[in-house]
Structure formats: C-alpha cells, structure tokens
Amino acid sequence: MEQSQGEQPAGRASITASVYTSHVPAIGVAVDQGKTEEPYWMPLFEGYQPSKAWMKENTPDVIFLIYNDHATSFDLGVIPTFAIGTAAEFEPADEGYGARPVPKVQGDPELASHIAQSVIQQDFDLTIVNDLKVDHGLTVPLSLMFGQPENWPCKVIPFHVNVVQYPVPSGKRCFELGKAIRKAIESYDKPIKVQIWGTGGMSHQLQGPRAGLINKEWDNRFLDRLVAEPAELAKVPHIEYVREAGSEGIELVMWLIARGAMADVDGGNAPKLVHRFFHVPASNTAVGHLILENQ
C-alpha cells in the first residue's frame, strides 16, 4: 500500500503539534503565589484556558521544549549555542529566590540521545548536557499549559538556545534546525506522540533608554507570518528583531525552530490553527501564544 505524502510509517514517532508561548518569569510568580485571578493577571490566564483544555485532550508522550537558559545553568563562562538535555530528570533551578514549587521535569534520555545523534549527523553541532537545572524559561510554559499538577503529565526534553550573549543563531539557522529535528523525531522507532514547543519573547527590552519597549503591531505581524509564511519570516535579520522588538525580542528566533519542525515546511499539509492569543503587558513583556496542529 502506497504511503501518502507527509504520513508517518506505523511504529515511528510523530510530531502532532507545535506550541508557542512567552515565558515571562513574573507569570511563574503569579502562579506560585496564587495571583492568577487578580485583576492584573486574570486576562492573561484566561487567554490560556482554551490551551489548557486542548492539552488535556492532546497530551503528548514527550514535549521537545525549546527555551533559553537565563545564566542559570550556563553562565558567561560557557555558553553553548544549542544544547540538548539528555538526563532522566531535571530539577527546577534556584534563580535567586529559591526554586519554583513545581514538579521535577522527567526527561527521555533515549529519545534525546537519538535526536542528538541524528541532528549532529545532519551537520548541526549540539552540546549534550547530562546535568541540567531548568529555569523559568522552561517551567513557566509548562505551568501555563498544565497548571499546577503534582507531576507533569508527560516527559520533556529541554533544548537550550543561546539568545542572551551575542552572537546568537540566525532565524534561518533556527528554522533549518527545526527541519533536522523533525527528521530526527520521525526516524525514532517507537510509536510515540511528540509536541514541539518554542518559547520566549515577544517584544520586550529590559535595560537601557528603551527599557519597557513593547511593539504590538510588529508582534502580531510576526504571529501572522509564523503561521502563513515561516520560510520568509526566517529571513528576518537580527537587527530587525532588536530594532522593532527590543533587545530581548531576539528570543523569538526560538519559535522558528518549532515552526521548522512542522510538516508543511517539507511538503505536508498546512497546520490547523487551534488557538491564538496576544496580551500586553505581563510584567514588562508582550505575551504571544499559538497552537498549531499537524494535519
């Protein structure tokens, strides 16, 4: 029987969806301190209610979660451009105020090692990390999508991208890396469901004369283009991110890794837009969120 284009062979892993969300540290504080229904925070958390309902119906076996470490596990002494966590578990990091009261992250060493092997053989250099503490960049997205469970309901593979210390990888490099990650996952010989999450952003700047910058128009154009023309969006140079979205807006290149892992960029069907949400501000950041399902 001939296999249709984009269809995965039986017995192999598949990418079911991609999730995109900001990872503002103050969101984690609001969750941890029971402030989610306060007037300031309620509109933001209401925007994620459809996502939490969707996640209950579409919980994957593994989340491949792309984030940036905020000088927690990687200080200025060692900064890998791309790093994959291959451990069996990852503890929440103490970022100066004690570790967040969230569950340990359970990893998937076998799948992570397979992805590392495949992606490195596709000529992307990854740093393999067997001992990693995960900060708000990874735990806040989990809290937004799952709430406050006793244990996270699936395994998580942390994937760090350097967007803190220049030089940082280009959008095109990140988009192409997403394609390589998709090939890696789809060659894994276990019939598991995987989601790809891209986190960080949207527009914000934390220092200097432009501290507090938020650019709603640019952010929403980015969301439009991420859905409709990701390959063209991947060509946007660093200087545009910094000029239009602030110095920390460069985190958005991580979303291009997740988008590059979707089937349509390699000849498959266009993804289904499940949910889109945008809110300003959360602390001093514009919050963006998308869920795209592979079809």
Side-chain angles (χ1 to χ4, degrees):
M1 182 176 175
E2 188 174 331
Q3 187 176 308
S4 62
Q5 186 179 41
E7 185 181 343
Q8 260 295 82
R12 295 283 181 89
S14 61
I15 295 173
T16 57
S18 53
V19 174
Y20 310 82
T21 183
S22 304
H23 61 210
V24 184
I27 294 174
V29 175
V31 171
D32 301 340
Q33 297 183 0
K35 297 180 178 181
T36 59
E37 296 187 7
E38 291 184 0
Y40 179 85
W41 288 108
M42 187 179 293
L44 183 141
F45 288 101
E46 284 183 346
Y48 281 84
Q49 289 303 316
S51 305
K52 290 168 75 174
W54 176 85
M55 279 300 304
K56 286 183 180 179
E57 299 297 323
N58 296 276
T59 304
D61 298 294
V62 182
I63 295 168
F64 186 91
L65 200 154
I66 303 146
Y67 77 110
N68 63 289
D69 178 85
H70 298 79
T72 300
S73 287
F74 306 120
D75 63 18
L76 296 183
V78 178
I79 309 173
T81 302
F82 302 118
I84 186 167
T86 53
E89 64 179 24
F90 307 92
E91 291 188 7
D94 182 348
E95 298 179 65
Y97 302 94
R100 288 193 63 209
V102 295
K104 286 183 181 180
V105 172
Q106 301 302 312
D108 189 330
E110 188 176 340
L111 176 58
S113 298
H114 171 84
I115 293 170
Q117 160 79 11
S118 175
V119 170
I120 290 170
Q121 290 299 312
Q122 293 178 69
D123 298 328
F124 285 89
D125 298 324
L126 304 185
T127 299
I128 296 169
V129 186
N130 296 312
D131 183 10
L132 178 69
K133 288 184 169 60
V134 291
D135 66 18
H136 72 268
L138 184 137
T139 62
V140 165
L142 292 174
S143 295
L144 282 167
M145 298 297 290
F146 293 117
Q148 294 175 289
E150 185 175 340
N151 295 292
W152 301 123
C154 60
K155 296 178 179 180
V156 178
I157 296 174
F159 191 86
H160 154 88
V161 181
N162 170 38
V163 289
V164 173
Q165 178 68 46
Y166 277 82
V168 305
S170 68
K172 185 176 186 298
R173 181 72 168 165
C174 289
F175 189 64
E176 294 299 321
L177 174 58
K179 295 180 183 179
I181 290 167
R182 175 170 173 257
K183 289 180 180 178
I185 290 171
E186 291 188 344
S187 67
Y188 188 60
D189 60 357
K190 287 187 178 180
I192 61 172
K193 295 179 179 179
V194 180
Q195 288 181 7
I196 307 285
W197 291 19
T199 73
M202 296 190 87
S203 62
H204 63 303
Q205 179 152 329
L206 302 180
Q207 71 287 308
R210 297 201 307 164
L213 178 147
I214 287 177
N215 189 338
K216 295 186 288 186
E217 292 76 16
W218 190 91
D219 286 338
N220 277 288
R221 282 199 305 276
F222 182 93
L223 293 173
D224 292 340
R225 299 185 72 190
L226 189 70
V227 175
E229 50 174 25
E232 288 300 308
L233 179 62
K235 298 176 183 177
V236 170
H238 286 156
I239 191 64
E240 180 174 331
Y241 287 93
V242 176
R243 183 180 63 241
E244 301 293 339
S247 53
E248 279 69 41
I250 193 65
E251 290 179 346
L252 286 168
V253 297
M254 296 188 289
W255 293 30
L256 289 165
I257 299 177
R259 190 64 181 88
M262 295 295 283
D264 65 310
V265 305
D266 196 26
N269 294 325
K272 174 186 176 183
L273 175 59
V274 175
H275 184 50
R276 175 171 172 167
F277 176 63
F278 181 80
H279 175 79
V280 294
S283 184
N284 53 6
T285 305
V287 170
H289 176 43
L290 286 173
I291 298 175
L292 301 178
E293 282 183 354
N294 267 327
Q295 298 296 295

